[in-house]
Amino acid sequence: MLASYAVRVENSLGRRYGEPSHPYRNDFERDRDRVIHARAFRRLNDKTQVFTRRYSDHFRNRLTHTLEVAQIARTIAGQLGLNVDLVEALALAHDLGHPPFGHAGEKALDAAMREHGLSFDHNLHALRIVEDFEQRYVAFPGLNLTFEVREGIIKHSRDYSSGQFPELSEYVLGWLPPLEAQLIDLADEIAYDTADLDDGYEAHLLTLQQICSRLACFARLFQEIDEAFPHAPEKLRFNEALKRMLNRFVDDLIANTQTNLQQAHIRSLEEIRTHCERLVSFSPEVESERRQVKQFLYANLYFSTALQPEKEDAERVITDLFAYWNSHPDSLPSAYRQKSQRDPLARVVCDYIAGMTDNYIYEQYEKHVARQGTP
Ligand code: MG
Protein backbone atom coordinates (compact mmCIF):
# COMPACT_ATOMS: atom_id res chain seq x y z
CA MET A 1 0.00 0.00 0.00
CA LEU A 2 1.55 3.27 -1.12
CA ALA A 3 1.34 6.36 1.10
CA SER A 4 -0.41 9.40 -0.38
CA TYR A 5 2.97 11.16 -0.74
CA ALA A 6 4.74 8.24 -2.46
CA VAL A 7 5.77 8.42 -6.12
CA ARG A 8 3.26 6.51 -8.25
CA VAL A 9 4.66 4.85 -11.32
CA GLU A 10 1.55 5.70 -13.33
CA ASN A 11 2.28 9.41 -12.70
CA SER A 12 5.90 9.14 -13.87
CA LEU A 13 7.06 12.01 -16.07
CA GLY A 14 8.29 9.27 -18.35
CA ARG A 15 11.30 8.43 -20.46
CA ARG A 16 13.29 10.69 -22.76
CA TYR A 17 12.50 8.43 -25.74
CA GLY A 18 9.02 6.94 -25.89
CA GLU A 19 8.79 3.15 -25.48
CA PRO A 20 5.85 0.77 -25.33
CA SER A 21 5.05 -0.36 -21.82
CA HIS A 22 6.02 -3.86 -20.69
CA PRO A 23 3.26 -6.43 -20.16
CA TYR A 24 4.21 -7.32 -16.57
CA ARG A 25 7.03 -5.05 -15.33
CA ASN A 26 6.30 -1.45 -14.43
CA ASP A 27 8.64 1.36 -15.52
CA PHE A 28 10.55 1.58 -12.22
CA GLU A 29 11.05 -2.20 -12.15
CA ARG A 30 12.39 -1.98 -15.69
CA ASP A 31 14.73 0.84 -14.66
CA ARG A 32 16.03 -1.28 -11.79
CA ASP A 33 16.59 -4.16 -14.21
CA ARG A 34 18.36 -1.87 -16.70
CA VAL A 35 20.75 -0.69 -13.98
CA ILE A 36 21.52 -4.28 -12.95
CA HIS A 37 22.29 -5.22 -16.55
CA ALA A 38 24.51 -2.17 -17.12
CA ARG A 39 28.24 -2.49 -17.70
CA ALA A 40 28.93 0.28 -15.17
CA PHE A 41 27.06 -1.77 -12.55
CA ARG A 42 29.19 -4.88 -13.14
CA ARG A 43 32.33 -2.78 -12.89
CA LEU A 44 31.44 -1.82 -9.30
CA ASN A 45 32.65 -5.31 -8.42
CA ASP A 46 36.24 -4.20 -9.01
CA LYS A 47 36.04 -0.71 -7.55
CA THR A 48 37.34 0.04 -4.07
CA GLN A 49 34.90 1.02 -1.36
CA VAL A 50 37.41 1.56 1.49
CA PHE A 51 39.67 -1.50 1.52
CA THR A 52 41.55 -2.91 -1.42
CA ARG A 53 42.14 -6.66 -1.75
CA ARG A 54 45.48 -6.11 0.02
CA TYR A 55 43.47 -6.58 3.23
CA SER A 56 40.94 -9.25 2.38
CA ASP A 57 38.88 -10.48 -0.53
CA HIS A 58 35.71 -10.61 1.54
CA PHE A 59 35.60 -6.97 2.61
CA ARG A 60 33.07 -4.72 0.90
CA ASN A 61 33.70 -3.49 -2.59
CA ARG A 62 31.51 -0.91 -4.27
CA LEU A 63 29.13 -3.57 -5.64
CA THR A 64 28.51 -5.35 -2.34
CA HIS A 65 28.18 -1.95 -0.64
CA THR A 66 25.56 -1.02 -3.25
CA LEU A 67 23.60 -4.23 -2.52
CA GLU A 68 23.67 -3.46 1.21
CA VAL A 69 22.36 0.05 0.54
CA ALA A 70 19.57 -1.40 -1.62
CA GLN A 71 18.56 -3.82 1.15
CA ILE A 72 18.46 -1.11 3.83
CA ALA A 73 16.72 1.41 1.56
CA ARG A 74 14.02 -1.11 0.56
CA THR A 75 13.29 -1.88 4.22
CA ILE A 76 12.95 1.81 5.11
CA ALA A 77 10.84 2.53 2.02
CA GLY A 78 8.48 -0.38 2.74
CA GLN A 79 7.84 0.86 6.29
CA LEU A 80 7.21 4.43 5.09
CA GLY A 81 4.78 3.28 2.37
CA LEU A 82 7.07 4.57 -0.39
CA ASN A 83 7.61 3.21 -3.87
CA VAL A 84 10.02 0.33 -3.26
CA ASP A 85 10.71 -0.27 -6.97
CA LEU A 86 11.88 3.32 -7.43
CA VAL A 87 13.94 3.14 -4.23
CA GLU A 88 15.61 -0.06 -5.38
CA ALA A 89 16.48 1.42 -8.78
CA LEU A 90 17.94 4.51 -7.10
CA ALA A 91 19.91 2.54 -4.52
CA LEU A 92 21.42 0.27 -7.17
CA ALA A 93 22.35 3.31 -9.28
CA HIS A 94 23.61 5.53 -6.46
CA ASP A 95 27.33 4.75 -6.87
CA LEU A 96 27.46 4.09 -10.64
CA GLY A 97 29.47 7.28 -11.19
CA HIS A 98 32.32 6.43 -8.83
CA PRO A 99 35.79 6.27 -10.40
CA PRO A 100 38.35 3.61 -9.40
CA PHE A 101 40.00 3.76 -5.93
CA GLY A 102 37.08 5.07 -3.87
CA HIS A 103 37.12 8.62 -2.56
CA ALA A 104 40.85 9.03 -3.09
CA GLY A 105 40.23 8.39 -6.80
CA GLU A 106 37.41 10.91 -6.93
CA LYS A 107 39.55 13.54 -5.24
CA ALA A 108 42.49 12.98 -7.58
CA LEU A 109 40.28 13.09 -10.67
CA ASP A 110 38.59 16.27 -9.51
CA ALA A 111 41.96 17.90 -8.77
CA ALA A 112 43.24 16.96 -12.24
CA MET A 113 40.10 18.43 -13.85
CA ARG A 114 40.37 21.67 -11.87
CA GLU A 115 43.69 22.38 -13.56
CA HIS A 116 41.64 22.59 -16.77
CA GLY A 117 38.95 24.79 -15.20
CA LEU A 118 36.58 21.78 -15.00
CA SER A 119 35.53 19.47 -12.18
CA PHE A 120 34.45 15.90 -11.46
CA ASP A 121 31.33 14.98 -9.49
CA HIS A 122 30.22 11.35 -9.19
CA ASN A 123 26.48 12.13 -9.31
CA LEU A 124 26.82 14.13 -12.52
CA HIS A 125 29.02 11.39 -13.91
CA ALA A 126 26.41 8.74 -13.06
CA LEU A 127 23.87 10.75 -15.02
CA ARG A 128 26.23 10.84 -18.03
CA ILE A 129 26.64 7.06 -17.78
CA VAL A 130 22.93 6.30 -17.84
CA GLU A 131 22.17 9.01 -20.41
CA ASP A 132 24.99 8.45 -22.82
CA PHE A 133 27.79 5.97 -22.16
CA GLU A 134 25.81 2.79 -21.66
CA GLN A 135 25.06 1.41 -25.12
CA ARG A 136 22.54 -1.41 -25.08
CA TYR A 137 19.70 -0.33 -27.32
CA VAL A 138 19.49 0.34 -31.04
CA ALA A 139 16.82 3.03 -30.72
CA PHE A 140 18.50 5.41 -28.24
CA PRO A 141 21.73 6.13 -26.37
CA GLY A 142 22.05 5.27 -22.69
CA LEU A 143 19.47 3.39 -20.65
CA ASN A 144 16.53 5.75 -21.31
CA LEU A 145 15.56 5.74 -17.63
CA THR A 146 12.45 7.47 -16.32
CA PHE A 147 12.62 11.09 -15.17
CA GLU A 148 12.26 10.07 -11.49
CA VAL A 149 15.29 7.77 -11.57
CA ARG A 150 17.46 10.33 -13.39
CA GLU A 151 16.28 13.05 -11.02
CA GLY A 152 17.07 10.87 -7.99
CA ILE A 153 20.57 10.09 -9.32
CA ILE A 154 21.26 13.83 -9.33
CA LYS A 155 19.46 14.92 -6.20
CA HIS A 156 19.78 12.06 -3.71
CA SER A 157 22.81 13.36 -1.83
CA ARG A 158 23.03 17.10 -2.43
CA ASP A 159 21.34 20.15 -3.88
CA TYR A 160 22.59 21.70 -7.11
CA SER A 161 21.86 25.37 -7.79
CA SER A 162 20.27 26.17 -11.14
CA GLY A 163 22.63 29.14 -11.56
CA GLN A 164 25.68 26.88 -11.34
CA PHE A 165 24.22 23.93 -13.27
CA PRO A 166 21.98 25.31 -16.04
CA GLU A 167 22.34 21.98 -17.89
CA LEU A 168 20.28 20.34 -15.11
CA SER A 169 17.32 22.71 -15.49
CA GLU A 170 15.01 19.92 -16.73
CA TYR A 171 15.25 18.39 -13.22
CA VAL A 172 13.59 21.48 -11.70
CA LEU A 173 16.36 22.13 -9.20
CA GLY A 174 14.01 24.23 -7.05
CA TRP A 175 12.03 21.06 -6.27
CA LEU A 176 13.16 18.84 -3.45
CA PRO A 177 13.46 15.20 -4.50
CA PRO A 178 10.72 12.73 -3.46
CA LEU A 179 11.22 10.81 -0.20
CA GLU A 180 12.27 7.80 -2.30
CA ALA A 181 15.41 9.73 -3.32
CA GLN A 182 15.88 11.57 -0.01
CA LEU A 183 16.26 8.31 1.91
CA ILE A 184 19.05 6.93 -0.32
CA ASP A 185 21.75 9.15 1.12
CA LEU A 186 20.95 8.15 4.70
CA ALA A 187 20.60 4.46 3.82
CA ASP A 188 24.04 4.83 2.21
CA GLU A 189 25.43 6.29 5.44
CA ILE A 190 23.89 3.60 7.62
CA ALA A 191 25.37 0.98 5.31
CA TYR A 192 28.90 2.34 5.18
CA ASP A 193 29.16 3.49 8.80
CA THR A 194 28.38 -0.01 10.04
CA ALA A 195 30.24 -1.84 7.27
CA ASP A 196 33.41 0.21 7.73
CA LEU A 197 33.41 -0.44 11.48
CA ASP A 198 33.03 -4.14 10.65
CA ASP A 199 35.79 -4.31 8.03
CA GLY A 200 38.03 -1.95 10.02
CA TYR A 201 37.72 -4.18 13.08
CA GLU A 202 38.34 -7.33 11.09
CA ALA A 203 41.37 -5.76 9.41
CA HIS A 204 42.73 -5.06 12.93
CA LEU A 205 42.88 -1.35 12.16
CA LEU A 206 40.22 -0.66 14.79
CA THR A 207 40.03 -2.41 18.15
CA LEU A 208 36.94 -3.17 20.20
CA GLN A 209 38.34 -1.14 23.08
CA GLN A 210 38.98 1.86 20.84
CA ILE A 211 35.46 1.68 19.35
CA CYS A 212 33.78 1.32 22.76
CA SER A 213 35.80 4.12 24.32
CA ARG A 214 34.95 6.58 21.54
CA LEU A 215 31.42 5.57 20.53
CA ALA A 216 29.07 5.61 23.50
CA CYS A 217 26.15 4.32 21.40
CA PHE A 218 28.14 1.24 20.37
CA ALA A 219 29.51 0.72 23.89
CA ARG A 220 25.99 0.63 25.36
CA LEU A 221 24.83 -1.96 22.84
CA PHE A 222 27.98 -4.02 23.30
CA GLN A 223 27.51 -4.06 27.06
CA GLU A 224 24.00 -5.52 26.67
CA ILE A 225 25.40 -8.36 24.56
CA ASP A 226 28.35 -8.81 26.85
CA GLU A 227 26.05 -9.34 29.83
CA ALA A 228 23.78 -11.74 27.95
CA PHE A 229 26.58 -13.73 26.23
CA PRO A 230 29.74 -13.23 28.32
CA HIS A 231 31.40 -16.39 26.97
CA ALA A 232 30.70 -15.88 23.26
CA PRO A 233 33.72 -15.10 21.06
CA GLU A 234 34.49 -11.39 20.86
CA LYS A 235 33.84 -11.19 17.11
CA LEU A 236 30.32 -12.59 17.57
CA ARG A 237 29.56 -10.15 20.39
CA PHE A 238 30.93 -7.38 18.18
CA ASN A 239 28.76 -8.50 15.22
CA GLU A 240 25.67 -8.59 17.39
CA ALA A 241 26.27 -5.08 18.78
CA LEU A 242 26.94 -3.74 15.28
CA LYS A 243 23.76 -5.33 13.97
CA ARG A 244 21.81 -3.68 16.80
CA MET A 245 23.40 -0.34 15.97
CA LEU A 246 22.33 -0.73 12.33
CA ASN A 247 18.79 -1.58 13.46
CA ARG A 248 18.77 1.38 15.86
CA PHE A 249 19.69 3.76 13.01
CA VAL A 250 17.07 2.28 10.67
CA ASP A 251 14.30 2.25 13.32
CA ASP A 252 15.07 5.84 14.23
CA LEU A 253 15.14 7.04 10.63
CA ILE A 254 11.73 5.48 9.97
CA ALA A 255 10.14 6.80 13.18
CA ASN A 256 11.62 10.27 12.97
CA THR A 257 10.66 10.65 9.30
CA GLN A 258 7.09 9.64 10.16
CA THR A 259 7.08 12.32 12.88
CA ASN A 260 8.43 14.90 10.42
CA LEU A 261 5.68 14.02 7.92
CA GLN A 262 2.97 14.34 10.57
CA GLN A 263 4.28 17.60 11.98
CA ALA A 264 4.48 19.14 8.51
CA HIS A 265 0.97 17.78 7.64
CA ILE A 266 2.31 16.23 4.46
CA ARG A 267 -0.36 14.60 2.29
CA SER A 268 1.01 14.69 -1.24
CA LEU A 269 4.16 14.35 -3.30
CA GLU A 270 3.83 18.00 -4.27
CA GLU A 271 4.00 19.01 -0.60
CA ILE A 272 7.21 16.97 -0.24
CA ARG A 273 8.74 18.67 -3.27
CA THR A 274 7.85 22.19 -2.14
CA HIS A 275 8.56 21.76 1.59
CA CYS A 276 11.23 24.05 3.08
CA GLU A 277 13.62 21.17 3.84
CA ARG A 278 14.20 17.45 3.33
CA LEU A 279 11.90 15.36 5.49
CA VAL A 280 13.88 12.12 5.79
CA SER A 281 16.07 12.55 8.86
CA PHE A 282 17.28 11.00 12.10
CA SER A 283 16.17 12.28 15.50
CA PRO A 284 18.64 14.74 17.09
CA GLU A 285 19.91 12.00 19.43
CA VAL A 286 20.67 9.45 16.70
CA GLU A 287 21.90 12.17 14.35
CA SER A 288 24.58 13.02 16.90
CA GLU A 289 25.49 9.32 17.25
CA ARG A 290 25.76 9.05 13.47
CA ARG A 291 28.07 12.06 13.40
CA GLN A 292 30.24 10.54 16.10
CA VAL A 293 30.59 7.32 14.10
CA LYS A 294 31.47 9.23 10.97
CA GLN A 295 34.04 11.43 12.69
CA PHE A 296 35.52 8.35 14.36
CA LEU A 297 35.86 6.60 11.01
CA TYR A 298 37.49 9.61 9.39
CA ALA A 299 40.00 10.06 12.18
CA ASN A 300 40.84 6.40 12.77
CA LEU A 301 40.25 4.65 9.46
CA TYR A 302 39.85 6.79 6.33
CA PHE A 303 42.75 9.11 7.30
CA SER A 304 44.80 6.42 9.04
CA THR A 305 48.43 5.86 8.07
CA ALA A 306 47.52 2.21 7.36
CA LEU A 307 45.40 3.22 4.36
CA GLN A 308 47.85 5.89 3.19
CA PRO A 309 49.64 3.66 0.61
CA GLU A 310 46.31 3.05 -1.22
CA LYS A 311 45.61 6.77 -1.28
CA GLU A 312 49.03 7.62 -2.63
CA ASP A 313 48.70 4.91 -5.28
CA ALA A 314 45.31 6.25 -6.32
CA GLU A 315 46.58 9.77 -6.61
CA ARG A 316 49.69 8.84 -8.55
CA VAL A 317 47.97 6.47 -10.99
CA ILE A 318 45.08 8.82 -11.77
CA THR A 319 47.16 12.00 -11.96
CA ASP A 320 49.83 10.45 -14.20
CA LEU A 321 47.38 8.71 -16.54
CA PHE A 322 45.27 11.85 -16.82
CA ALA A 323 48.40 13.80 -17.81
CA TYR A 324 49.46 11.01 -20.21
CA TRP A 325 46.22 10.93 -22.21
CA ASN A 326 45.97 14.70 -22.25
CA SER A 327 49.31 14.85 -24.01
CA HIS A 328 48.82 11.61 -26.04
CA PRO A 329 45.17 11.74 -27.19
CA ASP A 330 46.06 9.42 -30.11
CA SER A 331 46.41 6.53 -27.69
CA LEU A 332 42.81 6.86 -26.48
CA PRO A 333 40.37 4.24 -27.84
CA SER A 334 38.71 5.44 -31.04
CA ALA A 335 35.29 6.12 -29.45
CA TYR A 336 36.95 8.53 -27.03
CA ARG A 337 39.05 10.12 -29.79
CA GLN A 338 35.79 10.85 -31.62
CA LYS A 339 34.25 12.32 -28.48
CA SER A 340 37.18 14.70 -28.13
CA GLN A 341 36.05 16.44 -31.36
CA ARG A 342 32.85 17.41 -29.51
CA ASP A 343 33.92 17.80 -25.84
CA PRO A 344 37.08 19.22 -24.22
CA LEU A 345 39.86 16.62 -24.20
CA ALA A 346 40.19 16.83 -20.40
CA ARG A 347 36.49 15.86 -20.03
CA VAL A 348 36.88 12.91 -22.40
CA VAL A 349 39.98 11.66 -20.58
CA CYS A 350 38.14 12.09 -17.26
CA ASP A 351 35.16 10.07 -18.54
CA TYR A 352 37.49 7.31 -19.74
CA ILE A 353 39.35 7.11 -16.43
CA ALA A 354 36.18 7.36 -14.30
CA GLY A 355 34.70 4.28 -15.98
CA MET A 356 37.72 2.06 -15.23
CA THR A 357 37.95 -0.62 -12.58
CA ASP A 358 40.88 -0.66 -10.15
CA ASN A 359 42.48 -3.56 -12.02
CA TYR A 360 42.08 -2.05 -15.45
CA ILE A 361 43.52 1.32 -14.47
CA TYR A 362 46.55 -0.41 -12.96
CA GLU A 363 47.08 -2.25 -16.24
CA GLN A 364 46.84 1.01 -18.15
CA TYR A 365 49.28 2.61 -15.74
CA GLU A 366 51.77 -0.21 -16.25
CA LYS A 367 51.43 0.04 -20.02
CA HIS A 368 51.57 3.80 -20.51
CA VAL A 369 53.37 5.27 -17.52
CA ALA A 370 55.36 2.82 -15.37
CA ARG A 371 57.12 1.14 -18.33
CA GLN A 372 57.84 4.45 -20.07
CA GLY A 373 59.39 6.11 -17.03
CA THR A 374 57.41 9.35 -16.83
CA PRO A 375 53.98 10.47 -18.00
MG1 MG B 1 27.50 4.70 -1.53
Side-chain angles (χ1 to χ4, degrees), residues 49 62 65-66 69 91 94-96 98 103 122 156 184-185 187-189 191-192:
Q49 178 68 13
R62 213 160 269 284
H65 157 73
T66 292
V69 175
H94 91 280
D95 268 353
L96 281 184
H98 268 285
H103 286 281
H122 72 264
H156 74 270
I184 298 297
D185 199 38
D188 186 23
E189 275 226 36
Y192 68 68

Side-chain angles (χ1 to χ4, degrees), residues 5 20 34 60 89 114 141 178 198 212 248 269 277 281 283 289 313 325 348 359:
Y5 39 75
R34 286 175 188 201
R60 276 82 176 176
R114 286 189 189 271
D198 188 19
C212 285
R248 174 175 166 79
L269 176 57
E277 58 182 356
S281 69
S283 66
E289 293 174 5
D313 262 15
W325 277 307
V348 174
N359 265 331

Side-chain angles (χ1 to χ4, degrees), residues 94-373:
H94 91 280
D95 268 353
L96 281 184
H98 268 285
F101 306 135
H103 286 281
E106 182 171 21
K107 227 172 113 192
L109 200 51
D110 186 54
M113 286 292 273
R114 286 189 189 271
E115 303 218 339
H116 296 260
L118 299 162
S119 62
F120 177 79
D121 172 295
H122 72 264
N123 291 337
L124 299 177
H125 189 68
L127 188 65
R128 290 158 65 77
I129 289 173
V130 302
E131 286 270 77
D132 189 15
F133 304 154
E134 286 290 324
Q135 293 183 346
R136 297 185 54 84
Y137 303 99
V138 286
F140 43 76
L143 302 179
N144 197 26
L145 303 178
T146 54
F147 173 89
E148 291 74 13
V149 174
R150 286 179 282 128
E151 181 202 22
I153 286 174
I154 285 299
K155 293 184 183 172
H156 74 270
S157 60
R158 57 166 281 199
D159 299 320
Y160 292 83
S161 76
S162 49
Q164 218 184 337
F165 296 93
E167 71 275 23
L168 299 178
S169 62
E170 71 172 297
Y171 299 107
V172 201
L173 296 176
W175 276 356
L176 286 178
L179 297 181
E180 283 82 351
Q182 291 185 29
L183 72 84
I184 298 297
D185 199 38
L186 296 173
D188 186 23
E189 275 226 36
I190 295 173
Y192 68 68
D193 282 344
T194 50
D196 294 346
L197 284 174
D198 188 19
D199 290 345
Y201 169 78
E202 205 165 314
H204 304 292
L205 298 182
L206 303 172
T207 65
L208 178 62
Q209 196 195 17
Q210 185 188 16
I211 295 171
C212 285
S213 69
R214 300 288 303 283
L215 299 176
C217 61
F218 184 88
R220 262 194 328 269
L221 296 165
F222 187 79
Q223 200 185 343
E224 283 173 24
I225 315 296
D226 215 24
E227 283 164 12
F229 301 95
H231 304 298
E234 183 187 288
K235 174 63 179 159
L236 293 184
R237 282 176 287 147
F238 173 88
N239 286 352
E240 188 70 31
L242 195 61
K243 184 195 79 181
R244 290 190 189 188
M245 192 174 87
L246 193 158
N247 287 342
R248 174 175 166 79
F249 285 6
V250 168
D251 291 347
D252 181 81
L253 190 66
I254 293 166
N256 193 63
T257 301
Q258 279 164 338
T259 306
N260 291 344
L261 291 164
Q262 279 158 14
Q263 285 176 351
H265 306 292
I266 298 294
R267 300 261 160 70
S268 68
L269 176 57
E270 202 199 343
E271 286 167 351
I272 303 254
R273 287 191 172 288
T274 54
H275 195 65
C276 55
E277 58 182 356
R278 292 182 183 228
L279 285 152
V280 179
S281 69
F282 294 106
S283 66
E285 187 188 346
V286 171
E287 172 62 19
S288 98
E289 293 174 5
R290 178 196 70 83
R291 272 181 209 202
Q292 268 176 20
V293 174
K294 198 166 172 163
Q295 283 163 4
F296 174 81
L297 287 168
Y298 268 94
N300 298 286
L301 190 64
Y302 308 147
F303 291 156
S304 68
T305 47
L307 294 185
Q308 200 54 29
E310 271 83 3
K311 270 195 202 153
E312 284 165 13
D313 262 15
E315 200 178 310
R316 188 185 65 249
V317 168
I318 286 190
T319 310
D320 290 357
L321 271 176
F322 188 88
Y324 172 80
W325 277 307
N326 266 289
S327 51
H328 301 79
D330 289 350
S331 40
L332 285 167
S334 69
Y336 286 91
R337 281 204 306 274
Q338 276 168 23
K339 280 191 176 146
S340 69
Q341 327 240 309
R342 205 179 63 198
D343 293 324
L345 178 60
R347 171 65 63 200
V348 174
V349 171
C350 175
D351 286 342
Y352 184 40
I353 289 177
M356 294 180 184
T357 60
D358 291 11
N359 265 331
Y360 188 75
I361 198 169
Y362 270 127
E363 276 172 27
Q364 294 298 307
Y365 182 77
E366 277 301 309
K367 184 170 156 193
H368 296 299
V369 182
R371 265 185 237 153
Q372 314 297 324

